[in-house]
PDB file of all heavy atoms in Angstrom:
ATOM      1  N   PRO A  47      55.185  34.467  56.495  1.00 65.00           N
ATOM      2  CA  PRO A  47      56.243  35.433  56.860  1.00 65.00           C
ATOM      3  C   PRO A  47      55.601  36.474  57.820  1.00 65.00           C
ATOM      4  O   PRO A  47      56.375  36.893  58.764  1.00 65.00           O
ATOM      5  CB  PRO A  47      56.686  36.060  55.497  1.00 65.00           C
ATOM      6  CG  PRO A  47      56.445  34.900  54.533  1.00 65.00           C
ATOM      7  CD  PRO A  47      55.191  34.278  55.023  1.00 65.00           C
ATOM      8  N   LEU A  55      58.214  39.444  67.053  1.00 80.00           N
ATOM      9  CA  LEU A  55      58.153  40.695  67.761  1.00 80.00           C
ATOM     10  C   LEU A  55      57.401  40.533  69.071  1.00 80.00           C
ATOM     11  O   LEU A  55      57.788  41.184  70.145  1.00 80.00           O
ATOM     12  CB  LEU A  55      57.338  41.736  66.926  1.00 80.00           C
ATOM     13  CG  LEU A  55      57.993  42.255  65.592  1.00 80.00           C
ATOM     14  CD1 LEU A  55      57.133  43.149  64.779  1.00 80.00           C
ATOM     15  CD2 LEU A  55      59.363  42.966  65.954  1.00 80.00           C
ATOM     16  N   PHE A  65      62.891  40.879  81.251  1.00 83.00           N
ATOM     17  CA  PHE A  65      64.275  41.287  81.638  1.00 83.00           C
ATOM     18  C   PHE A  65      64.287  42.693  82.070  1.00 83.00           C
ATOM     19  O   PHE A  65      65.209  43.019  82.851  1.00 83.00           O
ATOM     20  CB  PHE A  65      65.228  41.154  80.424  1.00 83.00           C
ATOM     21  CG  PHE A  65      65.676  39.761  80.217  1.00 83.00           C
ATOM     22  CD1 PHE A  65      64.864  38.753  79.560  1.00 83.00           C
ATOM     23  CD2 PHE A  65      66.915  39.268  80.559  1.00 83.00           C
ATOM     24  CE1 PHE A  65      65.232  37.508  79.418  1.00 83.00           C
ATOM     25  CE2 PHE A  65      67.375  37.951  80.423  1.00 83.00           C
ATOM     26  CZ  PHE A  65      66.515  37.041  79.740  1.00 83.00           C
ATOM     27  N   GLY A  66      63.330  43.564  81.736  1.00 85.00           N
ATOM     28  CA  GLY A  66      63.399  44.976  81.994  1.00 85.00           C
ATOM     29  C   GLY A  66      62.607  45.403  83.109  1.00 85.00           C
ATOM     30  O   GLY A  66      62.878  46.457  83.784  1.00 85.00           O
ATOM     31  N   PRO A  68      62.343  44.480  86.320  1.00 84.00           N
ATOM     32  CA  PRO A  68      63.075  44.790  87.663  1.00 84.00           C
ATOM     33  C   PRO A  68      63.500  46.157  87.665  1.00 84.00           C
ATOM     34  O   PRO A  68      63.515  46.878  88.788  1.00 84.00           O
ATOM     35  CB  PRO A  68      64.033  43.806  87.722  1.00 84.00           C
ATOM     36  CG  PRO A  68      63.460  42.610  87.016  1.00 84.00           C
ATOM     37  CD  PRO A  68      62.853  43.263  85.770  1.00 84.00           C
ATOM     38  N   LEU A  90      77.467  53.647  77.803  1.00 92.00           N
ATOM     39  CA  LEU A  90      76.648  52.416  78.111  1.00 92.00           C
ATOM     40  C   LEU A  90      75.915  51.983  76.833  1.00 92.00           C
ATOM     41  O   LEU A  90      75.957  50.834  76.434  1.00 92.00           O
ATOM     42  CB  LEU A  90      75.866  52.597  79.311  1.00 92.00           C
ATOM     43  CG  LEU A  90      74.967  51.360  79.645  1.00 92.00           C
ATOM     44  CD1 LEU A  90      75.856  50.176  80.006  1.00 92.00           C
ATOM     45  CD2 LEU A  90      73.986  51.738  80.801  1.00 92.00           C
ATOM     46  N   SER A 102      73.533  38.264  69.244  1.00 78.00           N
ATOM     47  CA  SER A 102      72.748  37.861  68.177  1.00 78.00           C
ATOM     48  C   SER A 102      73.159  36.516  67.551  1.00 78.00           C
ATOM     49  O   SER A 102      72.350  35.694  67.080  1.00 78.00           O
ATOM     50  CB  SER A 102      72.564  38.956  67.157  1.00 78.00           C
ATOM     51  OG  SER A 102      71.865  38.491  66.049  1.00 78.00           O
ATOM     52  N   HIS A 104      74.193  34.097  69.219  1.00 65.00           N
ATOM     53  CA  HIS A 104      73.900  32.960  70.092  1.00 65.00           C
ATOM     54  C   HIS A 104      72.317  32.816  70.251  1.00 65.00           C
ATOM     55  O   HIS A 104      71.944  31.701  70.312  1.00 65.00           O
ATOM     56  CB  HIS A 104      74.452  33.210  71.534  1.00 65.00           C
ATOM     57  CG  HIS A 104      75.974  33.242  71.554  1.00 65.00           C
ATOM     58  ND1 HIS A 104      76.644  32.059  71.737  1.00 65.00           N
ATOM     59  CD2 HIS A 104      76.832  34.151  71.404  1.00 65.00           C
ATOM     60  CE1 HIS A 104      77.947  32.290  71.718  1.00 65.00           C
ATOM     61  NE2 HIS A 104      78.077  33.678  71.518  1.00 65.00           N
ATOM     62  N   HIS A 114      75.343  42.034  58.674  1.00 72.00           N
ATOM     63  CA  HIS A 114      74.215  43.053  58.467  1.00 72.00           C
ATOM     64  C   HIS A 114      72.864  42.379  59.014  1.00 72.00           C
ATOM     65  O   HIS A 114      72.019  43.144  59.409  1.00 72.00           O
ATOM     66  CB  HIS A 114      74.071  43.467  57.066  1.00 72.00           C
ATOM     67  CG  HIS A 114      73.676  42.462  56.036  1.00 72.00           C
ATOM     68  ND1 HIS A 114      72.363  42.035  55.986  1.00 72.00           N
ATOM     69  CD2 HIS A 114      74.369  41.797  55.160  1.00 72.00           C
ATOM     70  CE1 HIS A 114      72.330  41.100  54.960  1.00 72.00           C
ATOM     71  NE2 HIS A 114      73.531  40.935  54.493  1.00 72.00           N
ATOM     72  N   VAL A 129      60.577  51.208  72.856  1.00 93.00           N
ATOM     73  CA  VAL A 129      59.052  51.265  72.881  1.00 93.00           C
ATOM     74  C   VAL A 129      58.560  50.679  74.204  1.00 93.00           C
ATOM     75  O   VAL A 129      57.625  51.272  74.824  1.00 93.00           O
ATOM     76  CB  VAL A 129      58.495  50.490  71.627  1.00 93.00           C
ATOM     77  CG1 VAL A 129      57.010  50.428  71.790  1.00 93.00           C
ATOM     78  CG2 VAL A 129      58.824  51.255  70.350  1.00 93.00           C
ATOM     79  N   LEU A 166      66.169  40.689  72.646  1.00 83.00           N
ATOM     80  CA  LEU A 166      67.000  39.852  71.755  1.00 83.00           C
ATOM     81  C   LEU A 166      66.953  38.442  72.175  1.00 83.00           C
ATOM     82  O   LEU A 166      66.955  37.475  71.427  1.00 83.00           O
ATOM     83  CB  LEU A 166      68.428  40.350  71.780  1.00 83.00           C
ATOM     84  CG  LEU A 166      69.293  39.843  70.622  1.00 83.00           C
ATOM     85  CD1 LEU A 166      68.726  40.149  69.264  1.00 83.00           C
ATOM     86  CD2 LEU A 166      70.719  40.400  70.726  1.00 83.00           C
ATOM     87  N   LEU A 167      66.812  38.200  73.575  1.00 80.00           N
ATOM     88  CA  LEU A 167      66.778  36.815  74.092  1.00 80.00           C
ATOM     89  C   LEU A 167      65.371  36.312  74.049  1.00 80.00           C
ATOM     90  O   LEU A 167      65.196  35.076  74.345  1.00 80.00           O
ATOM     91  CB  LEU A 167      67.291  36.834  75.517  1.00 80.00           C
ATOM     92  CG  LEU A 167      68.812  37.193  75.779  1.00 80.00           C
ATOM     93  CD1 LEU A 167      69.074  37.180  77.162  1.00 80.00           C
ATOM     94  CD2 LEU A 167      69.586  36.192  75.009  1.00 80.00           C
ATOM     95  N   GLU A 181      80.195  26.575  64.649  1.00 51.00           N
ATOM     96  CA  GLU A 181      81.221  25.780  65.213  1.00 51.00           C
ATOM     97  C   GLU A 181      82.651  26.590  64.989  1.00 51.00           C
ATOM     98  O   GLU A 181      82.756  27.182  63.986  1.00 51.00           O
ATOM     99  CB  GLU A 181      81.404  24.472  64.522  1.00 51.00           C
ATOM    100  CG  GLU A 181      80.279  23.544  64.783  1.00 51.00           C
ATOM    101  CD  GLU A 181      80.227  23.084  66.266  1.00 51.00           C
ATOM    102  OE1 GLU A 181      81.356  22.981  66.869  1.00 51.00           O
ATOM    103  OE2 GLU A 181      79.125  22.803  66.745  1.00 51.00           O
ATOM    104  N   THR A 183      87.009  27.235  66.553  1.00 51.00           N
ATOM    105  CA  THR A 183      88.171  26.598  67.208  1.00 51.00           C
ATOM    106  C   THR A 183      87.901  26.667  68.731  1.00 51.00           C
ATOM    107  O   THR A 183      86.956  27.286  69.251  1.00 51.00           O
ATOM    108  CB  THR A 183      89.435  27.415  66.866  1.00 51.00           C
ATOM    109  OG1 THR A 183      89.237  28.786  67.448  1.00 51.00           O
ATOM    110  CG2 THR A 183      89.612  27.539  65.405  1.00 51.00           C
ATOM    111  N   ASN A 187      85.468  29.188  70.795  1.00 69.00           N
ATOM    112  CA  ASN A 187      84.487  28.733  71.710  1.00 69.00           C
ATOM    113  C   ASN A 187      84.691  29.162  73.193  1.00 69.00           C
ATOM    114  O   ASN A 187      83.744  29.485  73.904  1.00 69.00           O
ATOM    115  CB  ASN A 187      84.377  27.233  71.628  1.00 69.00           C
ATOM    116  CG  ASN A 187      83.855  26.770  70.317  1.00 69.00           C
ATOM    117  OD1 ASN A 187      83.085  27.383  69.720  1.00 69.00           O
ATOM    118  ND2 ASN A 187      84.219  25.524  69.961  1.00 69.00           N
ATOM    119  N   MET A 212      72.711  48.066  98.116  1.00 85.00           N
ATOM    120  CA  MET A 212      74.011  47.572  97.735  1.00 85.00           C
ATOM    121  C   MET A 212      75.103  48.413  98.501  1.00 85.00           C
ATOM    122  O   MET A 212      76.054  47.818  99.019  1.00 85.00           O
ATOM    123  CB  MET A 212      74.197  47.691  96.282  1.00 85.00           C
ATOM    124  CG  MET A 212      75.493  47.030  95.695  1.00 85.00           C
ATOM    125  SD  MET A 212      76.913  48.108  95.767  1.00 85.00           S
ATOM    126  CE  MET A 212      76.342  49.482  94.897  1.00 85.00           C
ATOM    127  N   ALA A 237      79.823  25.458  91.466  1.00 84.00           N
ATOM    128  CA  ALA A 237      78.776  24.491  91.765  1.00 84.00           C
ATOM    129  C   ALA A 237      77.662  24.633  90.706  1.00 84.00           C
ATOM    130  O   ALA A 237      77.081  23.520  90.388  1.00 84.00           O
ATOM    131  CB  ALA A 237      78.294  24.612  93.109  1.00 84.00           C
ATOM    132  N   PRO A 256      90.944  17.744  84.297  1.00 63.00           N
ATOM    133  CA  PRO A 256      91.063  17.879  85.646  1.00 63.00           C
ATOM    134  C   PRO A 256      90.150  19.009  86.207  1.00 63.00           C
ATOM    135  O   PRO A 256      89.999  20.023  85.604  1.00 63.00           O
ATOM    136  CB  PRO A 256      92.544  18.177  85.876  1.00 63.00           C
ATOM    137  CG  PRO A 256      93.064  18.628  84.583  1.00 63.00           C
ATOM    138  CD  PRO A 256      92.236  18.055  83.582  1.00 63.00           C
ATOM    139  N   VAL A 266      87.299  30.918  88.026  1.00 89.00           N
ATOM    140  CA  VAL A 266      88.157  32.052  88.447  1.00 89.00           C
ATOM    141  C   VAL A 266      88.136  33.127  87.453  1.00 89.00           C
ATOM    142  O   VAL A 266      87.981  34.374  87.772  1.00 89.00           O
ATOM    143  CB  VAL A 266      89.585  31.618  88.754  1.00 89.00           C
ATOM    144  CG1 VAL A 266      90.467  32.816  89.065  1.00 89.00           C
ATOM    145  CG2 VAL A 266      89.622  30.558  89.881  1.00 89.00           C
ATOM    146  N   ALA A 272      83.208  39.151  86.480  1.00 94.00           N
ATOM    147  CA  ALA A 272      82.083  39.733  87.275  1.00 94.00           C
ATOM    148  C   ALA A 272      82.582  40.929  88.118  1.00 94.00           C
ATOM    149  O   ALA A 272      81.907  41.863  88.211  1.00 94.00           O
ATOM    150  CB  ALA A 272      81.638  38.588  88.285  1.00 94.00           C
ATOM    151  N   LEU A 280      79.408  50.322  88.710  1.00 92.00           N
ATOM    152  CA  LEU A 280      79.516  51.269  89.749  1.00 92.00           C
ATOM    153  C   LEU A 280      79.985  52.620  89.245  1.00 92.00           C
ATOM    154  O   LEU A 280      79.455  53.638  89.563  1.00 92.00           O
ATOM    155  CB  LEU A 280      80.475  50.751  90.775  1.00 92.00           C
ATOM    156  CG  LEU A 280      80.031  49.575  91.643  1.00 92.00           C
ATOM    157  CD1 LEU A 280      81.188  49.051  92.430  1.00 92.00           C
ATOM    158  CD2 LEU A 280      78.974  49.985  92.606  1.00 92.00           C
ATOM    159  N   ASP A 288      84.373  60.384  94.129  1.00 87.00           N
ATOM    160  CA  ASP A 288      84.798  60.954  95.414  1.00 87.00           C
ATOM    161  C   ASP A 288      84.649  59.872  96.491  1.00 87.00           C
ATOM    162  O   ASP A 288      84.284  60.245  97.665  1.00 87.00           O
ATOM    163  CB  ASP A 288      83.985  62.139  95.653  1.00 87.00           C
ATOM    164  CG  ASP A 288      84.061  63.259  94.732  1.00 87.00           C
ATOM    165  OD1 ASP A 288      85.195  63.475  94.190  1.00 87.00           O
ATOM    166  OD2 ASP A 288      83.117  63.888  94.371  1.00 87.00           O
ATOM    167  N   VAL A 294      85.138  51.415  97.585  1.00 91.00           N
ATOM    168  CA  VAL A 294      84.925  50.960  96.274  1.00 91.00           C
ATOM    169  C   VAL A 294      85.159  49.475  96.066  1.00 91.00           C
ATOM    170  O   VAL A 294      84.362  48.702  95.444  1.00 91.00           O
ATOM    171  CB  VAL A 294      85.783  51.740  95.232  1.00 91.00           C
ATOM    172  CG1 VAL A 294      85.625  51.198  93.851  1.00 91.00           C
ATOM    173  CG2 VAL A 294      85.355  53.233  95.195  1.00 91.00           C
TER     174      VAL A 294
END
Side-chain angles (χ1 to χ4, degrees):
L55 291 176
F65 281 77
L90 177 63
S102 177
H104 294 272
H114 67 79
V129 172
L166 196 57
L167 294 176
E181 295 294 332
T183 65
N187 291 332
M212 188 275 306
V266 174
L280 291 169
D288 301 320
V294 171

